[in-house]
Amino acid sequence: MQNVEDFEDFEEQKGSWLTGGRAALILVVLILVISAFFVEDWHQLWSIASKPDNIPIVGLIPLVIFFTWLGLRQARDNDKLIEELQADPQLAKTHHRKTQPWRPGWARELHVWPYLIRIEFLAAIIVTVILYVWSITLNAPLEEPANPNLTMNPSKAPWYFLGLQEMLVYFDPWIAGVVMPSLLIVGLMVFPYVDSNPLGNGYYSWRQRRFSVSMFLWGFFMWIVLIIIGTFIRGPGWIWFWPGQRWDHNAVVYDRNRDLHEIFGITSMPGKLIFGALVVGGFYIVGGLFFHWLMTRSRFKFRYFFHPGEFLHWAKNSDEFESKLLARTSILQYLTFQFFAITVLLAFPIKLILRLVFTIKYVWVTPWFNI
C-alpha cells in the first residue's frame, strides 16, 4: 500500500513539474518574441549562429538550461525524500530509498551486465551517429594559413577559447591567459579537499549542498556568459554590438578607459601603489565577509518580501546546518576557499562591471603588474 501511495505522489509531483516546465517554456518563448522586434539584421544573426565554429555554443545554451533544470529537479525530489525519512526513523529502515517509484515484483537491484552495459552501448551508438551526421553536413571550420597582411575582423578564437579571449578586455594578457586559467584549474582540484560536508555525495541535493551548488552554478554560468559575449556580441574591432545589431566596420568607440587612481587625482607612483593596495585589500576583506555571510545564512524565501517581520528573523539567525559545516572546517580549508572564491567568483564580475559600465581599466597599477 505504501508503494502505491509513493507512486501516486511521484506522478503528482511529475505533473506539477510539467506544469512549471510549461510556464518556463512560455516565458522563454515570450522573451524571444519580444527580442525579435529589436533585431536589425537577421541575416547577420543567422550567419553568426550557423557558422560551423559556433554550432557547438548554439547547441550548448539549451543543453545547459535543460540539464540545470533536470539536476535541480532531482535535487528537489531527493530533498523531499530525505525529509520524509528523517521524520520517520522506522520508515527509513524499510523504505525504497529512491525518488523513482518502486512496484511489487520489480528488482530492487540491477546488475551491471547486461542492463547498464546495454544502455551505455546504445548511448555510444547514438553519439557516433550524431558525429557522423555532423561531419557530413557541416564543413570543418578550417581556413587558409595565417597571413599578416590580411587579418580577419573580428578575429575570434574557437568557441572553447572565446572566454579567455574576452578576458583580455578586462585584464593584462598574462593575467587573463596564465594566472586566471591557472587559478581556475587549481581551484577545481582544491575544492574537494576543502569541502567538510560529508553529505550530498553520489546524489543530487540542494538542501544539503546549497552553498556548494550555488557557487558552482555561479562560476559555471559566468564562464558560459563570457563565451556567449565573445560569440554573439563582439563585432569588428572587438566592439560591443548587441545580438541582431548591424555590424559597422567603420564604427569607432570614443569611451575613455581610465584607471581608478585617475578618478581620485593620484599621479605619483608611490601613491598609485599604496592606493591600489588599499583598494584590493579592502575588496578582499569585504569579499571575505560577503562569502562568510553566504555560508552562515539560512534559506531565503520570497515570502520574506511580503512579511518584514519574517525577513528580520531570517536576517538575524544563521542556518544550523551551515554553521555545523563551518565548525568542521579548518582554518586552512576556510582561507583556501575564501581566496579562490574571492579571486575567481567575485573579482571577475566586479571587474567586468567596472570596465563595461564605468570604463575603468585597472584598479591597481604598479611597475610590475596591473590589476
Side-chain angles (χ1 to χ4, degrees):
M1 188 65 182
Q2 180 65 35
N3 294 325
V4 175
E5 293 176 356
D6 292 342
F7 182 77
E8 292 176 352
D9 292 341
F10 175 80
E11 291 297 327
E12 183 179 354
Q13 294 176 14
K14 182 178 179 182
S16 64
W17 273 102
L18 288 175
T19 303
R22 293 193 191 99
L25 182 61
I26 293 174
L27 180 62
V28 171
V29 172
L30 211 63
I31 294 175
L32 293 177
V33 171
I34 295 175
S35 302
F37 290 98
F38 298 94
V39 175
E40 298 179 4
D41 194 340
W42 283 100
H43 176 73
Q44 178 181 275
L45 185 62
W46 170 251
S47 64
I48 295 174
S50 61
K51 186 178 179 182
D53 206 17
N54 295 336
I55 292 295
I57 186 62
V58 173
L60 176 67
I61 296 173
L63 288 177
V64 166
I65 296 173
F66 171 75
F67 283 106
T68 301
W69 166 80
L70 183 63
L72 293 177
R73 188 186 74 166
Q74 294 181 6
R76 173 183 176 273
D77 294 339
N78 288 334
D79 289 340
K80 184 176 181 180
L81 177 61
I82 292 171
E83 291 179 358
E84 293 176 356
L85 299 182
Q86 287 178 343
D88 191 347
Q90 189 64 31
L91 179 64
K93 298 179 181 180
T94 58
H95 192 277
H96 178 62
R97 301 191 181 188
K98 297 287 184 180
T99 55
Q100 291 82 12
W102 181 83
R103 292 177 176 176
W106 286 4
R108 290 182 177 270
E109 296 180 356
L110 296 177
H111 297 286
V112 173
W113 173 266
Y115 302 104
L116 179 61
I117 301 299
R118 180 175 57 192
I119 295 175
E120 292 178 345
F121 181 69
L122 290 175
I125 292 178
I126 294 173
V127 171
T128 303
V129 171
I130 292 175
L131 291 178
Y132 269 115
V133 174
W134 191 330
S135 62
I136 293 173
T137 56
L138 295 177
N139 294 323
L142 302 177
E143 300 175 358
E144 64 277 359
N147 183 359
N149 297 319
L150 182 62
T151 305
M152 297 284 293
N153 187 17
S155 181
K156 295 186 178 183
W159 69 271
Y160 43 84
F161 282 141
L162 274 180
L164 292 176
Q165 189 172 359
E166 177 64 17
M167 287 173 61
L168 293 171
V169 178
Y170 315 102
F171 298 97
D172 272 354
W174 72 279
I175 294 181
V178 179
V179 176
M180 293 299 288
S182 300
L183 289 176
L184 287 171
I185 295 173
V186 174
L188 291 175
M189 293 188 296
V190 166
F191 279 167
Y193 297 97
V194 301
D195 186 10
S196 60
N197 187 357
L199 303 176
N201 293 318
Y203 57 92
Y204 292 99
S205 176
W206 172 258
R207 189 173 68 89
Q208 294 180 346
R209 286 195 167 270
R210 184 168 57 248
F211 185 76
S212 302
V213 173
S214 300
M215 293 300 101
F216 173 81
L217 291 177
W218 184 350
F220 180 71
F221 284 119
M222 188 170 61
W223 188 254
I224 297 297
V225 167
L226 286 179
I227 296 176
I228 293 175
I229 291 175
T231 303
F232 296 99
I233 295 181
R234 292 298 181 180
W238 212 253
I239 297 175
W240 186 285
F241 290 93
W242 291 105
Q245 187 178 358
R246 186 174 292 106
W247 284 4
D248 183 3
H249 289 265
N250 298 317
V252 178
V253 177
Y254 296 98
D255 294 336
R256 177 178 177 270
N257 293 320
R258 50 187 178 169
D259 301 328
L260 186 61
H261 64 264
E262 298 179 11
I263 299 177
F264 296 89
I266 301 174
T267 56
S268 63
M269 182 53 66
K272 298 177 185 178
L273 287 171
I274 297 173
F275 174 77
L278 290 175
V279 172
V280 173
F283 172 77
Y284 268 83
I285 293 174
V286 174
L289 295 174
F290 171 71
F291 281 110
H292 183 83
W293 175 79
L294 286 180
M295 284 187 281
T296 56
R297 291 301 92 186
S298 61
R299 288 178 292 178
F300 182 79
K301 297 181 180 179
F302 287 104
R303 71 165 185 265
Y304 295 136
F305 284 112
F306 307 101
H307 299 84
E310 292 188 11
F311 177 82
L312 295 175
H313 177 74
W314 170 81
K316 293 178 181 178
N317 293 278
S318 61
D319 185 79
E320 182 179 358
F321 179 72
E322 300 292 347
S323 298
K324 289 181 179 179
L325 291 181
L326 193 59
R328 290 169 50 95
T329 305
S330 67
I331 186 65
L332 180 61
Q333 291 174 315
Y334 180 80
L335 293 178
T336 302
F337 168 78
Q338 285 279 20
F339 171 76
F340 284 102
I342 297 171
T343 305
V344 177
L345 299 179
L346 187 60
F348 185 78
I350 294 296
K351 188 67 186 297
L352 186 146
I353 294 173
L354 289 177
R355 185 63 183 272
L356 295 179
V357 179
F358 302 101
T359 64
I360 295 176
K361 187 175 183 180
Y362 294 127
V363 176
W364 189 6
V365 176
T366 72
W368 312 281
F369 60 85
N370 299 318
I371 297 178

